[in-house]
Amino acid sequence: MSEKSGHWDAELFRREGHRMVEWIAEYLDGGNRQHPVLAQVEPGEVAGRLPDEMPTVGEDPEAVWQDFLDVVLPGVTHWNHPGFMAYFGITGSGPGVLGEMLSAALDVNGMLWRTCPSATELELKVLDWLRRGLGLPEDFFGFLTDTASISSLLALAAAREAADPEIRHRGMTGPAIRVYASDQAHSSIAKACLTLGFGLDGFRAVPHDPEYRMDTDALARMVAEDRAAGLRPLAVVATVGTTSTTSVDPCMEIAKICAHEGLWMHVDAAYAGSIALNEDFRWCLDGCERADSFVFNPHKWLFVPIDASALYTRHPETFRRAFSLVPEYLTTPLSGQVVDLMDYGVQLGRRFRALKLWWVLRCFGLDGISERHSRHIAMAKAFADWIDAEPDFERMAPRPFSVVCFRARPQGLEGQALDAFNMELLEQVNASGEIFLSHTKLDDGVALRVAIGNLGTVETDVARCQELLSEGLACLLNR
């Protein structure tokens, strides 16, 4: 470091950058397996090893690096680990990491076309590539947000604008609004209703059918009931790949109901949208072409580092009416002639997210992406077949993609006792440090979930998961 505290010259950056790139390369090349996938620390342990006050004088970056290794790294749960099979398996791939590095170095704010023309135009182009790859209509306009939670929030705000163009001026008045989604939909939909002023009462959970898909007959009844009660049905959120079971709502039937009732249709395909790039799975988007808005997350199953959420709409002008507010200091000579992405959401500052997405799509290509998806699904099918063949385990839901819901089912256990047994089994597996699983609750009780989606996960990882489940089961039965 130079004599001026905190000053970085090019030579210092090269030295530290090479050190970090070498570490990242080894980490992505299997070095992540050297770490327990689930952090093995107690609450407050990491914070307790950090000083209470920030440094007054710049420190040697080598010391900072060592503290990363000694203090921070032990408290990391390694989402980029081949044994991470909890929630939804993800991968921040090498190309995606490189794109993220470039984005950080450029440090642009793409709020306006003028503030970084490439940020805007690359984003629009890459989103159009994906639209074509998914088979979505040409009139779908796409842009990036951080997560599907925010994308769905923006979509419902646009639905509110479409239903009442005066709401941006006078605020919400009149009958209470209702938004409908399956009781298997992600909690972000209810949270969006809370945030937008509809209240939790404004969210109506539609029952599911035996395959955990939205019951469209129940949806039609609920909309009719609310209209008769003087309430204001606004939108329906269909899910392609529900959070618990990855079930696919009957989007075509939902689209027909929305068209008949004059409701906005939003599709949350955060997890499963990526799989539709594979033509063999394009069926999962049947009916989505009729949606008013649609979201999927490239950071879930498209090997892009978090965060990157792709939001599409066939009504970009409605989004502009809902969100555009341009003070004098943000006007430019090109205002109104170019796309200024700040006009399509709440956020003003916008990271150059498209760069890492572009890097991944260029380096993998559609064939490479589809090949890896197919391998993940094949491993999930093999795991599901193993569960079906084991007398002390049972599958609890269909397996349309690469997530398997199952539980141990030893003789003599039912109800809460069975749920408690499975939660103990889950903790036994997770304590190994080799595999990390999560759980959910379905109609018949607690279900454990294996979610395969990491580029580094191979058949031996799935086999090891099976071994740990069998060993954990035997241990609990013989205690």
Side-chain angles (χ1 to χ4, degrees):
M1 185 175 291
S2 70
E3 294 181 1
K4 186 176 179 181
S5 177
H7 175 73
W8 281 60
D9 57 25
E11 185 55 38
L12 178 59
F13 183 84
R14 285 192 184 93
R15 189 189 80 195
E16 296 304 316
H18 282 298
R19 183 211 308 270
M20 193 171 293
V21 167
E22 285 298 324
W23 187 90
I24 292 171
E26 291 182 12
Y27 181 83
L28 295 179
D29 193 34
N32 43 24
R33 292 181 179 275
Q34 300 173 11
H35 306 280
V37 58
L38 180 62
Q40 309 287 309
V41 297
E42 297 298 323
E45 185 175 333
V46 175
R49 299 187 63 189
L50 298 170
D52 292 332
E53 297 182 2
M54 64 184 291
T56 55
V57 176
E59 299 182 50
D60 186 338
E62 190 165 344
V64 180
W65 176 251
Q66 195 60 49
D67 279 350
F68 165 75
L69 296 176
D70 296 341
V71 180
V72 177
L73 196 57
V76 170
T77 289
H78 293 271
W79 286 67
N80 223 5
H81 189 296
F84 188 101
M85 301 180 189
Y87 309 111
F88 288 116
I90 62 173
T91 304
S93 64
V97 172
L98 291 174
E100 190 79 273
M101 287 171 61
L102 281 176
S103 176
L106 294 172
D107 199 28
V108 302
N109 183 342
M111 56 188 181
L112 301 167
W113 178 89
R114 190 179 195 182
T115 59
C116 186
S118 285
T120 297
E121 296 191 15
L122 188 66
E123 182 167 327
L124 296 177
K125 180 62 71 173
V126 168
L127 268 288
D128 197 55
W129 285 0
L130 287 172
R131 177 196 63 76
R132 293 170 184 270
L134 296 173
L136 295 173
E138 289 188 9
D139 63 349
F140 269 36
F141 171 85
F143 59 98
L144 293 171
T145 75
D146 54 0
T147 61
S149 298
I150 296 302
S151 292
S152 294
L153 173 70
L154 298 180
L156 291 176
R160 184 178 65 177
E161 173 70 22
D164 185 357
E166 297 301 317
I167 199 166
R168 64 177 284 146
H169 298 293
R170 71 163 195 273
M172 289 182 58
T173 59
I177 286 174
R178 291 293 181 264
V179 172
Y180 309 86
S182 162
D183 56 12
Q184 300 300 298
H186 192 269
S187 60
S188 61
I189 306 304
K191 189 176 286 190
C193 291
L194 185 158
T195 305
L196 291 169
F198 308 156
L200 289 177
D201 287 345
F203 172 75
R204 292 210 63 183
V206 182
H208 59 269
D209 68 11
E211 295 186 350
Y212 294 97
R213 306 172 305 175
M214 183 189 291
D215 181 339
T216 53
D217 290 337
L219 170 65
R221 287 195 304 270
M222 293 167 74
V223 172
E225 291 168 1
D226 284 346
R227 286 202 192 281
L231 303 174
R232 188 174 189 177
L234 176 73
V236 180
V237 179
T239 307
V240 175
T242 56
T243 305
S244 288
T245 65
T246 70
S247 296
V248 177
D249 284 343
C251 293
M252 188 62 77
E253 292 304 311
I254 293 170
K256 292 176 182 177
I257 292 171
C258 288
H260 182 263
E261 296 287 348
L263 304 178
W264 184 284
M265 179 180 173
H266 175 61
V267 176
D268 176 2
Y271 160 68
S274 297
I275 192 62
L277 292 170
N278 185 324
E279 289 189 3
D280 291 341
F281 290 88
R282 189 71 53 76
W283 59 264
C284 73
L285 297 189
D286 288 349
C288 294
E289 70 279 2
R290 300 179 61 177
D292 297 285
S293 52
F294 173 94
V295 60
F296 84 102
N297 284 349
H299 69 233
K300 276 198 169 66
W301 206 6
L302 204 54
F303 320 130
V304 176
I306 195 168
D307 51 32
S309 179
L311 175 59
Y312 292 88
T313 179
R314 63 172 69 253
H315 310 291
E317 289 308 310
T318 303
F319 274 75
R320 280 179 52 84
R321 288 203 316 269
F323 299 112
S324 182
L325 189 65
V326 185
E328 180 61 29
Y329 52 79
L330 291 177
T331 62
T332 76
L334 292 171
S335 293
Q337 303 174 48
V338 293
V339 172
D340 290 327
L341 288 171
M342 69 172 187
D343 289 335
Y344 297 88
V346 175
Q347 186 177 4
L348 177 60
R350 303 187 86 258
R351 297 200 302 116
F352 199 171
R353 291 188 180 94
L355 199 56
K356 60 186 174 183
L357 180 53
W358 180 66
W359 219 265
V360 168
L361 296 180
R362 291 282 304 275
C363 292
F364 282 90
L366 272 176
D367 289 347
I369 291 167
S370 295
E371 177 187 342
R372 288 160 176 84
H373 284 163
S374 296
R375 186 173 183 187
H376 289 156
I377 288 172
M379 285 189 280
K381 181 182 184 302
F383 181 86
D385 290 345
W386 178 79
I387 289 290
D388 292 343
E390 287 292 313
D392 289 326
F393 288 95
E394 67 177 356
R395 194 142 50 95
M396 296 185 70
R399 180 213 50 80
F401 306 115
S402 67
V403 173
V404 184
C405 293
F406 67 100
R407 68 179 172 186
R409 190 64 191 268
Q411 291 184 354
L413 288 181
E414 300 289 343
Q416 293 184 355
L418 182 59
D419 287 350
F421 184 92
N422 275 278
M423 292 304 294
E424 284 191 74
L425 176 59
L426 178 70
E427 292 308 308
Q428 287 245 9
V429 172
N430 290 344
S432 71
E434 298 177 65
I435 301 291
F436 178 31
L437 306 181
S438 57
H439 77 285
T440 189
K441 197 158 191 179
L442 301 178
D443 290 344
D444 294 331
V446 165
L448 310 186
R449 294 171 75 258
V450 159
I452 298 173
N454 188 278
L455 287 174
T457 302
V458 294
E459 287 77 4
T460 52
D461 295 308
V462 179
R464 182 55 180 153
C465 180
Q466 295 168 0
E467 291 174 359
L468 289 169
L469 286 164
S470 297
E471 292 168 4
L473 176 68
C475 178
L476 292 174
L477 291 176
N478 294 325
R479 61 184 173 180

